[in-house]
Amino acid sequence: MKLAEEISKRKTFAIISHPDAGKTTLTEKFLLFGGAIQTAGAVKNNKIKKSATSDFMEIEKQRGISVATSVMGFQYKDKLINLLDTPGHKDFAEDTYRTLTAVDSVILVIDCVKGVEAQTERLMEVCRMRDTPVIVFINKMDLEGRDGFELLDELEEKLNIKVRPMTWPIGIGATFKGVYNLGDSSLNLFESSKTKISKDVTKISSLNDPKLDELIGTQADQLREDVELVEGVYDQLDNETYLRGEIAPVFFGSAVNNFGIQEMLDQFIEIAPTPRARETNEGEIDPERNKFSGFVFKIHANLDPKHRDRIAFLRVCSGKFERNKFFHHVRLDKGLRFSNPTSFMAKDKSVIDNAYPGDVIGLYDTGNFKIGDTLTEGDNFTFKGIPSFSPEIFKEVINNDPMKSKQLEKGIHQLTEEGVAQLFTARMGNKKYIGTVGELQFEVIQYRLKHEYGASCSFSPLNFYKACWFTSENKEQLEEFTRLKSNYIVYDKDQNLVFLAQTAGILQITKQNYPNVEFHFTSEFKTQAV
Ligand code: G4P
């Protein structure tokens, strides 16, 4: 098959949500539709436990599970779909953000009772930075949730995106009767079923069709009124605007009841982007370019000290990846070949011979890769847009065993290079700060330092709100800022200066005091300053 054909078949996306909104359930239904699993419960059984206990075996188990479910490939109709997992519970980490740099679009799941929640906003900020196209699924319509219009308003306000409902709910909770498809005037009447994968839709000629009153009784008038309002308020979906990430189609349904999902999946394969051109330091690289290229967005280490292997997750961006062929590791200026590259179809890992743009492959690594590394077929460009994101939890590293200082130093450097967390160092002295976006990472670091490097450390909490990379064209002001705020300015792993703001208020005041200094929440500044 020609490269262009392979590309046109692929859709690579992630499902994002606040914990408990229904991401796992929806994933499972997708896999059922795709025939990748046969029974409901297969993903669920693997589900990362939401326990609050910090048990190291648990960490190990979770890491094991998350490698198995990191990428799930399945076929739906004539499309090959790669679904990338975004860890969301206790294991929420920078990895979660970075996974979003490797997808071409996302499906956002919202709980209709809770609306837009904190984690949703954080994840969507990353999507908005990259203008990633978004489809929204409003879930749990079988529960007594909030009014549809109110939810849409909240989506637009909090997520800074326009929305367009594609289906409209008839009632909610106890009165939920199903959804009306605004595109083809069909009704999908609700019937709770956890395994059903076909849908029975009823066509009506128009909203004035008396059949509607027969089917949903007194709720028909409300539906007519709602639809009139929808058509009056929301613009039609325009594919280009969706692809630019400016408008998000919205579907209503119930994942656990397998309701309203097929409509969304059908629309998804219709409109979601196939692999697109990606930016490098030498301009855009088209997926159809004949020469292979890709980047590493995640590194997974085995916590079992007996198996020190690591897996680097590489997103193929152009050309064709081939097993056992020498490729060019740009940062190290070194040729590497891979005898056991793996793909991830549902739960099984299997060795592959070829991979195409949009695919994510696992490369066994003995320490050659860092997050963001580019692999090419001889070219020297590097992919952009795989930044470090500002951590939200900061702690100082305390060495518990001065005899093992070297081991600690080495371990911390290697683990942070892997992307487990970010390391900041004081400009004077030798203080080291670790920053993460999730608590679990501190336990992972402690555990791995001990088991892999024989070093023991503890962490002392620090009160910082965000790490801000900063820039300025005004040299004088930059110097003054760096001098006067020196107690709060540290180095990141690449020796860039970073300002650690204690609170949002302090950051605000600092910005006012230094109007010519720009502050950024990521290490790549192509996005606007905060
Ligand atoms: P997550 O991955 O986003 O964290 O969410 P998950 O799918 O695990 O769903 C969270 C809970 O919400 C689960 O219940 C799940 O069954 C339930 N759920 C998902 N979709 C719907 C829906 O459409 N309607 C209703 N009423 N519930 C839904 P749980 O009790 O936490 O887990 P389980 O015991 O059912 O596995």
Side-chain angles (χ1 to χ4, degrees):
M1 206 185 300
K2 286 213 184 85
L3 182 60
E5 234 171 288
E6 292 284 358
I7 294 168
S8 69
K9 277 173 41 180
R10 282 166 166 79
K11 310 256 174 186
T12 302
F13 81 111
I15 303 181
I16 57 176
S17 74
H18 192 85
D20 278 338
K23 179 171 68 91
T24 316
T25 315
L26 186 64
T27 302
E28 181 170 293
K29 302 301 174 194
F30 277 171
L31 297 181
L32 272 172
F33 278 115
I37 54 171
Q38 267 69 47
T39 50
V43 179
K44 267 266 176 317
N45 293 341
N46 246 350
K47 193 170 161 177
I48 293 158
K49 269 202 165 168
K50 301 169 200 171
S51 80
T53 56
S54 57
D55 172 351
F56 293 129
M57 291 312 288
E58 190 58 29
I59 297 175
E60 206 161 342
K61 206 163 79 198
Q62 287 183 2
R63 300 287 287 189
I65 291 166
S66 61
V67 89
T69 57
S70 278
V71 188
M72 285 162 277
F74 64 97
Q75 190 157 1
Y76 182 68
K77 298 195 172 162
D78 60 341
K79 300 288 183 235
L80 288 171
I81 301 176
N82 293 309
L83 169 50
L84 273 56
D85 189 35
T86 50
H89 290 103
K90 238 184 121 215
D91 53 345
F92 186 64
E94 226 192 322
D95 259 4
T96 310
Y97 290 152
R98 241 169 341 230
T99 296
L100 297 178
T101 67
V103 299
D104 298 303
S105 69
V106 298
I107 290 182
L108 167 64
V109 186
I110 301 279
D111 179 331
C112 74
V113 182
K114 299 191 174 141
V116 176
E117 297 172 83
Q119 203 157 299
T120 313
E121 282 188 67
R122 289 154 79 189
L123 292 166
M124 272 295 287
E125 265 172 40
V126 179
C127 295
R128 307 291 294 129
M129 273 168 49
R130 307 184 58 247
D131 300 325
T132 308
V134 185
I135 294 179
V136 179
F137 184 71
I138 300 191
N139 191 26
K140 306 198 185 180
M141 292 304 289
D142 57 317
L143 298 182
E144 300 301 326
R146 288 163 47 191
D147 173 67
F149 289 107
E150 193 187 311
L151 287 166
L152 296 183
D153 281 352
E154 189 176 83
L155 282 168
E156 292 202 321
E157 252 168 51
K158 291 201 175 163
L159 305 180
N160 184 26
I161 192 165
K162 276 174 71 177
V163 295
R164 162 70 201 183
M166 306 307 286
T167 58
W168 192 255
I170 304 162
I172 192 160
T175 63
F176 183 57
K177 288 270 165 44
V179 293
Y180 171 71
N181 191 331
L182 290 146
D184 65 0
S185 309
S186 60
L187 280 181
N188 188 2
L189 296 177
F190 179 61
E191 179 196 327
S192 98
S193 158
K194 300 198 176 183
T195 49
K196 184 176 77 128
I197 63 167
S198 65
K199 61 169 186 172
D200 293 314
V201 296
T202 313
K203 285 262 184 205
I204 50 172
S205 56
S206 78
L207 280 171
N208 294 323
D209 192 333
K211 217 157 99 192
L212 184 67
D213 301 270
E214 269 167 48
L215 290 165
I216 60 171
T218 51
Q219 284 173 275
D221 283 341
Q222 182 67 48
L223 177 66
R224 290 183 182 112
E225 221 175 274
D226 285 353
V227 170
E228 199 183 326
L229 193 54
V230 166
E231 296 300 0
V233 173
Y234 298 100
D235 291 345
Q236 288 295 331
L237 183 74
D238 166 59
N239 270 3
E240 286 308 310
T241 326
Y242 156 74
L243 290 174
R244 286 200 303 271
E246 290 168 15
I247 191 166
V250 179
F251 293 83
F252 292 83
S254 168
V256 79
N257 291 301
N258 204 358
F259 187 82
I261 294 175
Q262 189 156 16
E263 285 90 338
M264 180 170 66
L265 189 54
D266 285 341
Q267 179 96 15
F268 169 84
I269 60 162
E270 192 73 23
I271 64 169
T274 51
R276 299 200 278 182
R278 296 238 158 201
E279 248 191 85
T280 72
N281 61 341
E282 292 178 8
E284 284 204 334
I285 295 298
D286 205 78
E288 289 180 31
R289 190 173 194 267
N290 263 329
K291 284 160 88 181
F292 160 78
S293 66
F295 66 85
V296 172
F297 63 95
K298 172 167 165 158
I299 291 174
H300 224 294
N302 197 331
L303 290 192
D304 181 349
K306 282 185 244 114
H307 301 98
R308 280 287 193 84
D309 52 341
R310 314 193 308 170
I311 298 176
F313 286 77
L314 178 126
R315 148 96 196 205
V316 180
C317 297
S318 72
K320 177 166 137 189
F321 174 91
E322 288 171 69
R323 183 156 81 100
N324 280 329
K325 181 166 176 171
F326 271 100
F327 288 120
H328 178 55
H329 186 309
V330 178
R331 182 177 52 86
L332 298 181
D333 190 18
K334 181 170 160 180
L336 292 177
R337 69 192 182 117
F338 305 90
S339 51
N340 290 310
T342 50
S343 79
F344 307 84
M345 288 301 278
K347 284 189 283 113
D348 305 321
K349 279 193 289 179
S350 52
V351 173
I352 46 122
D353 289 320
N354 303 312
Y356 297 92
D359 287 344
V360 170
I361 51 176
L363 302 175
Y364 283 97
D365 176 38
T366 48
N368 285 314
F369 285 117
K370 281 210 266 186
I371 305 255
D373 276 347
T374 299
L375 202 61
T376 67
E377 207 170 324
D379 296 295
N380 269 322
F381 58 75
T382 50
F383 283 98
K384 295 212 288 202
I386 315 128
S388 296
F389 293 89
S390 171
E392 281 147 37
I393 310 172
F394 297 85
K395 296 189 184 184
E396 186 183 338
V397 183
I398 313 283
N399 186 357
N400 289 346
D401 183 354
M403 303 293 285
K404 298 276 173 64
S405 297
K406 274 210 171 121
Q407 285 88 332
L408 181 72
E409 186 104 352
K410 182 171 167 215
I412 295 253
H413 272 103
Q414 288 191 353
L415 294 183
T416 48
E417 295 229 312
E418 235 177 56
V420 176
Q422 281 181 61
L423 174 66
F424 299 101
T425 42
R427 290 194 298 160
M428 303 281 267
N430 194 27
K431 280 197 170 159
K432 288 190 169 43
Y433 308 139
I434 299 279
T436 71
V437 291
E439 269 294 338
L440 182 72
Q441 302 314 107
F442 289 102
E443 291 164 32
V444 171
I445 292 170
Q446 242 171 356
Y447 178 87
R448 291 189 55 190
L449 282 173
K450 188 150 195 181
H451 288 80
E452 292 173 29
Y453 300 90
S456 159
C457 78
S458 50
F459 294 107
S460 154
L462 296 166
N463 267 335
F464 291 120
Y465 155 70
K466 291 264 183 184
C468 307
W469 286 264
F470 55 92
T471 47
S472 179
E473 308 240 301
N474 182 331
K475 230 176 142 198
E476 251 167 50
Q477 199 166 94
L478 190 66
E479 268 169 21
E480 184 191 316
F481 171 75
T482 316
R483 184 163 41 83
L484 292 179
K485 291 282 176 188
S486 66
N487 287 346
Y488 300 98
I489 294 176
V490 292
Y491 288 121
D492 76 359
K493 65 175 182 352
D494 301 317
Q495 300 298 301
N496 296 311
L497 291 180
V498 177
F499 171 58
L500 299 178
Q502 290 152 294
T503 63
I506 289 179
L507 178 59
Q508 199 54 37
I509 294 170
T510 312
K511 280 197 293 192
Q512 281 163 11
N513 292 345
Y514 299 94
N516 294 326
V517 178
E518 292 192 327
F519 297 88
H520 316 266
F521 286 158
T522 71
S523 63
E524 260 183 26
F525 316 128
K526 83 187 164 96
T527 48
Q528 279 186 344
V530 291

